[in-house]
Amino acid sequence: MKPINQLRIQDEFVGFYLLKELNLRQTSGTPPKDYFDIVLSDATGQISAKYWDVTIQDKETFFPMQLVKIQGTVQSYRDQPQVKISRIRRATDDDGVSITDYVKAAPLRPVDLLHTIKLAIKSIAHEEIRMIVTYCADKVEDKLMHYPAAKSYHHAYFAGLAYHIVRMLEIGDFICKQRPFLNPDLIKAGIILHDIAKPEEMIAQMGIVTDYSNQGKLIGHIALASGWIVEAAIHHGISLDSELVLGLQHLVLSHHNLGEWGSPVQPQTAEAVALHYIDMMDAKLQMVEDALDTTAPSEPWTPMIRGLENKAIYRLKIEEESVRSGNEKETIAPPSG
């Protein structure tokens, strides 16, 4: 059985995969025919797939988040690999496979990620900032152990949200040391709070988002988190007119930068500017890293990455100087005497 990141155009294969997404569509012909538009996934990545001529029984059998055994062929569609499924069945207990083996996860243990986040919260020197951040983080502590940071763009896997926060904390720590005018308590708070309501925005199983909640569809994680800050301030008797509450809300409300990206305001404090770019840097670089990790080393280009304006990434191969030159320079012995 081939992992997804090793599948190549024209490969014929049989194996177990997870139905990450499954949507019933119809062809444009006359009469239209039903087919499944599918995203298959495993621990190494995901790939688009089609299953044609869907029957009534198929519609009652297959659903998202199922393990299936398929026989298929990898074809090229719009310069991207796509699987044509010829046979499919649900996995059974007799197959001896577990869904946990087919789910992509953060490279660090969730318990360690959560511990790092808690240590960062404890390190916030300003008591009222620390109380507000603690109040908001406690709302989703259990979900932080497994929730993704997004449905598809970045850190879209098991414990991806906690991993995103921890990586941002590392970047934030460096930037605060390099730029002492930044308030490190606000930077830590903004990093932890900026996506803290994502688990309430999305409905996820095993790190895979299956839908958005009503709160997610009608309010969104940015507005939700801003509301939680107000709720925390009221709970702890902190004035809602204080610069502290204003600053924390602004961090959350502006971190996407533009209205078309979901932010009602643009960053207008030093820490808000820093938070936006810390978030962008980690998200974009994770997209690149994931694309490289799920593309075979023999392939010079990754598939196009939606979050990078549909650009592909080229894998540079720079030889070591000693290899490139063919041999080491001769050592000239010093003159004797």
Side-chain angles (χ1 to χ4, degrees):
M1 186 184 79
K2 278 192 173 184
I4 283 175
N5 68 340
Q6 294 182 17
L7 292 176
R8 299 292 174 268
I9 304 298
Q10 297 184 342
D11 277 356
E12 297 181 2
F13 66 96
V14 176
F16 291 95
Y17 301 94
L18 181 67
L19 290 177
K20 182 177 180 180
E21 297 179 26
L22 183 147
N23 293 290
L24 182 65
R25 312 285 193 199
Q26 285 191 324
T27 63
S28 57
T30 304
K33 295 183 179 180
D34 293 334
Y35 71 94
F36 284 147
D37 187 11
I38 292 171
V39 175
L40 297 172
S41 69
D42 64 11
T44 71
Q46 64 182 42
I47 190 169
S48 173
K50 295 288 190 292
Y51 183 54
W52 305 101
D53 299 325
V54 169
T55 66
I56 294 175
Q57 183 178 356
D58 291 332
K59 298 176 193 177
E60 298 172 347
T61 301
F62 299 107
F63 301 94
M65 296 301 298
Q66 288 178 339
L67 273 181
V68 293
K69 186 176 185 180
I70 69 166
Q71 178 179 341
T73 304
V74 184
Q75 302 177 333
S76 178
Y77 177 71
R78 294 182 178 175
D79 297 324
Q80 297 292 312
Q82 183 181 87
V83 173
K84 179 182 179 182
I85 299 173
S86 53
R87 298 176 67 189
I88 182 172
R89 71 165 173 83
R90 294 178 59 175
T92 67
D93 292 340
D94 294 336
D95 292 317
V97 293
S98 170
I99 192 171
T100 57
D101 297 328
Y102 293 82
V103 172
K104 182 175 174 61
L108 300 177
R109 296 192 311 163
V111 64
D112 294 333
L113 294 169
L114 187 59
H115 178 67
T116 300
I117 293 169
K118 286 185 172 183
L119 286 178
I121 295 173
K122 287 182 180 179
S123 73
I124 296 175
H126 194 290
E127 183 179 8
E128 290 183 334
I129 295 177
R130 186 173 65 253
M131 289 191 300
I132 289 175
V133 174
T134 300
Y135 182 95
C136 295
D138 284 349
K139 281 180 169 286
V140 293
E141 179 177 327
D142 292 341
K143 290 183 176 180
L144 274 178
M145 293 285 285
H146 60 89
Y147 252 70
K151 183 177 181 180
S152 58
Y153 276 100
H154 67 92
H155 301 86
Y157 42 73
F158 192 88
L161 176 56
Y163 185 59
H164 178 42
I165 292 172
V166 168
R167 286 295 182 236
M168 285 180 65
L169 286 169
E170 293 170 350
I171 298 171
D173 182 61
F174 169 79
I175 287 178
C176 285
K177 290 174 181 176
Q178 187 191 61
R179 295 285 190 269
F181 70 89
L182 294 170
N183 183 317
D185 285 347
L186 286 175
I187 293 295
K188 290 175 191 174
I191 288 170
I192 294 166
L193 294 177
H194 82 290
D195 278 349
I196 200 67
K198 281 285 186 78
E200 297 303 311
E201 178 181 64
M202 304 180 296
I203 299 171
Q205 302 176 51
M206 301 296 293
I208 296 174
V209 177
T210 55
D211 200 357
Y212 287 89
S213 67
N214 289 337
Q215 285 183 305
K217 293 173 181 176
L218 298 176
I219 301 175
H221 74 280
I222 290 177
L224 283 170
S226 178
W228 289 1
I229 292 169
V230 172
E231 185 181 317
I234 294 172
H235 177 80
H236 288 294
I238 302 169
S239 172
L240 300 184
D241 295 328
S242 67
E243 294 264 299
L244 182 152
V245 174
L246 179 66
L248 291 177
Q249 284 187 286
H250 181 69
L251 283 166
V252 169
L253 292 169
S254 67
H255 80 270
H256 279 186
N257 186 42
L258 300 176
E260 54 264 40
W261 295 348
S263 276
V265 292
Q266 290 184 284
Q268 295 174 77
T269 67
E271 290 75 21
V273 172
L275 175 64
H276 168 65
Y277 286 105
I278 291 169
D279 186 26
M280 290 287 284
M281 176 181 289
D282 186 60
K284 299 291 188 182
L285 287 178
Q286 194 63 51
M287 294 176 200
V288 173
E289 182 177 348
D290 290 344
L292 290 170
D293 285 347
T294 56
T295 302
S298 59
E299 295 290 331
W301 287 93
T302 71
M304 291 184 294
I305 304 170
R306 286 181 62 195
L308 293 177
E309 293 75 44
N310 282 326
K311 293 184 180 69
I313 296 297
Y314 181 68
R315 193 192 304 270
L316 284 170
K317 294 184 178 180
I318 308 298
E319 296 179 347
E320 296 291 338
E321 185 175 356
S322 60
V323 175
R324 187 173 65 249
S325 61
N327 51 52
E328 300 291 335
K329 294 180 180 179
E330 287 187 25
T331 301
I332 301 174
S336 58

